[in-house]
């Protein structure tokens, strides 16, 4: 039984060559040209894919920046009032000069004593401010950890509890050593001092964690577990313990009377970000070389 001939590419050209009706160059260069056209098409597809990736990445970062601006640009009357009180507290602490009361004092003051002092000053002007410490156990996704921050609780007219978080080192919490330019641009838009409702904080965390994940993906690196969304949420939105600071200032010498209640601030356009120079005396409390503290 005769076997069917095995189909091979360019069999007709080879037959023509053997019959003398085609030369070797026709066969070889004809194959190369066709191969080149095929390869060129693949290269073109790759270039199109690359262009699509670039456009997709650009659209992502633009969207994240708009979302972040919209989120940190919102504010409520209570947040604005508290933000002003935090601003005045920091200004008066700067004027008085900070002094660490820890067992091992830190030159220029420490963040722990700063939190206590701000809590005291806010209590003195009627805010229910406490020091909070969150703590969480390790899981298959994130390691164990803890975090300390300030919290102010207020009841709305409807009787709902409004929880506002004050984070004195907010921007540094999102900084990454190997971040790309787009992620760093988002970080630079964050305030140094955050004052905002938990709902607003939750939205900022979601935006920044999505950006961190995208950044690491673009750099073909794994995201660190302490940069994951679940870990960052645990810092301010997980289980925590509240502790009330002393009712009289302990760490500032001399003590400056707090006159916020008697002050009448000049009318300003509504804004959720306030920038003022406070780093001259608080060098030990800040990570980085920024010359101003922004309060959100």
């Amino acid at each position: 039984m005769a076997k069917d001939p095995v189909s091979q590419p360019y069999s007709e050209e080879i037959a023509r060559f053997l019959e003398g009706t085609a030369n070797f160059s026709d066969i070889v260069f004809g194959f190369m040209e066709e191969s080149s056209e095929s390869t060129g098409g693949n290269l073109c597809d790759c270039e199109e894919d690359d262009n699509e990736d670039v456009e997709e990445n650009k659209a992502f970062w633009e969207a994240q920046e708009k979302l972040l601006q919209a989120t940190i640009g919102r504010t409520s009357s209570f947040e604005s009032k508290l933000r002003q009180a935090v601003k005045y507290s920091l200004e008066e602490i700067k004027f008085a000069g900070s002094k660490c009361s820890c067992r091992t004092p830190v030159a220029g003051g420490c963040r722990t004593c700063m939190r206590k002092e701000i809590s005291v000053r806010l209590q003195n002007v009627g805010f229910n401010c406490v020091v909070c410490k969150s703590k969480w156990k390790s899981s298959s996704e994130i390691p164990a950890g803890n975090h300390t921050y300030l919290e102010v609780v207020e009841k709305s007219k409807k009787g709902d509890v409004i929880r506002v978080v004050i984070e004195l080192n907010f921007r540094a919490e999102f900084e990454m050593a190997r971040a790309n330019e787009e992620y760093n641009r988002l970080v630079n838009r964050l305030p140094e001092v955050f004052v905002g409702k938990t709902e607003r904080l939750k939205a900022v965390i979601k935006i920044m964690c999505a950006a961190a994940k995208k950044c690491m993906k673009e750099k073909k690196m794994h995201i660190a577990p302490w940069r994951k969304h679940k870990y960052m949420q645990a810092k301010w939105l997980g289980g925590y313990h509240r502790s009330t600071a002393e009712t009289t200032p302990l760490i500032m010498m001399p003590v400056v009377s707090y006159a916020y209640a008697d002050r009448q601030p000049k009318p300003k356009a509504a804004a959720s970000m306030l920038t003022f120079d406070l780093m001259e005396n608080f060098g030990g409390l800040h990570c980085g070389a920024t010359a101003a503290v922004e309060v959100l």
Side-chain angles (χ1 to χ4, degrees):
M1 181 176 178
K3 294 183 179 180
D4 293 333
V6 178
S7 176
Q8 296 181 353
Y10 303 102
S11 58
E12 292 182 4
E13 285 81 355
I14 293 173
R16 287 170 54 208
F17 170 71
L18 294 175
E19 292 172 357
T21 57
N23 58 39
F24 181 75
S25 63
D26 291 335
I27 300 171
V28 175
F29 289 104
F31 170 76
M32 291 179 66
E33 287 173 4
E34 186 170 341
S35 176
S36 176
E37 290 176 3
S38 177
T39 305
N42 292 335
L43 288 174
C44 182
D45 291 341
C46 291
E47 288 177 1
E48 289 179 359
D49 291 341
D50 290 342
N51 290 335
E52 288 178 3
D53 290 341
V54 171
E55 291 301 320
E56 182 182 341
N57 291 341
K58 183 179 179 181
F60 171 84
W61 291 110
E62 288 178 352
Q64 293 303 103
E65 191 165 356
K66 289 179 180 179
L67 280 172
L68 184 61
Q69 283 182 312
T71 302
I72 63 180
R74 297 191 188 99
T75 189
S76 66
S77 58
F78 180 73
E79 286 172 295
S80 297
K81 182 180 178 182
L82 177 58
R83 195 172 295 116
Q84 285 293 327
V86 173
K87 176 185 175 181
Y88 290 139
S89 294
L90 290 169
E91 287 177 337
E92 291 190 343
I93 291 171
K94 176 188 174 182
F95 178 78
S98 58
K99 182 178 179 182
C100 180
S101 62
C102 297
R103 293 182 179 180
T104 307
V106 177
C110 71
R111 201 171 293 126
T112 299
C113 293
M114 174 64 73
R115 278 191 292 261
K116 290 180 180 178
E117 178 64 18
I118 292 176
S119 178
V120 168
R121 289 175 180 272
L122 292 179
Q123 289 175 39
N124 288 343
V125 293
F127 290 103
N128 180 16
C129 182
V130 296
V131 177
C132 293
K133 185 171 183 178
S134 59
K135 190 174 182 179
W136 58 95
K137 297 181 180 180
S138 61
S139 68
S140 58
E141 299 178 51
I142 60 173
N146 62 78
H147 187 71
T148 307
Y149 57 95
L150 293 174
E151 177 190 77
V152 173
V153 175
E154 181 76 359
K155 282 190 176 183
S156 67
K157 294 179 179 179
K158 297 180 180 180
D160 299 327
V161 176
I162 301 174
R163 183 175 172 235
V164 180
V165 172
I166 303 172
E167 175 57 63
L168 302 179
N169 203 34
F170 190 66
R171 185 185 299 160
E173 295 293 334
F174 294 92
E175 291 175 349
M176 296 194 303
R178 299 184 180 181
N180 58 18
E181 181 180 349
E182 291 82 2
Y183 181 81
N184 285 333
R185 190 181 300 121
L186 288 181
V187 172
N188 290 334
R189 288 191 176 278
L190 296 174
E192 183 121 0
V193 177
F194 178 88
V195 180
K197 295 179 181 179
T198 52
E199 294 83 358
R200 205 176 316 285
L201 176 58
K202 186 177 181 180
V204 173
I205 292 172
K206 184 177 182 180
I207 293 168
M208 294 306 298
C209 288
K213 185 176 181 180
K214 179 71 171 178
C215 173
M216 292 294 100
K217 183 178 180 180
E218 289 182 10
K219 296 177 75 68
K220 297 181 179 179
M221 298 172 63
H222 291 291
I223 188 167
W226 55 89
R227 296 293 180 191
K228 291 184 177 181
H229 186 222
K230 189 173 182 179
Y231 188 94
M232 297 301 289
Q233 278 192 317
K235 288 186 176 183
W236 301 286
L237 305 175
Y240 62 95
H241 172 73
R242 305 172 89 241
S243 60
T244 306
E246 298 292 335
T247 55
T248 55
L250 296 176
I251 65 174
M252 301 300 157
M253 298 297 291
V255 176
V256 177
S257 60
Y258 196 89
Y260 171 70
D262 299 326
R263 294 186 181 181
Q264 296 295 328
K266 296 179 180 180
K268 294 183 180 179
S272 62
M273 278 188 134
L274 303 171
T275 304
F276 46 96
D277 187 2
L278 291 172
M279 298 314 301
E280 184 177 352
N281 293 329
F282 297 154
L285 302 177
H286 171 60
C287 298
T290 308
V293 171
E294 291 177 336
V295 178
L296 171 66

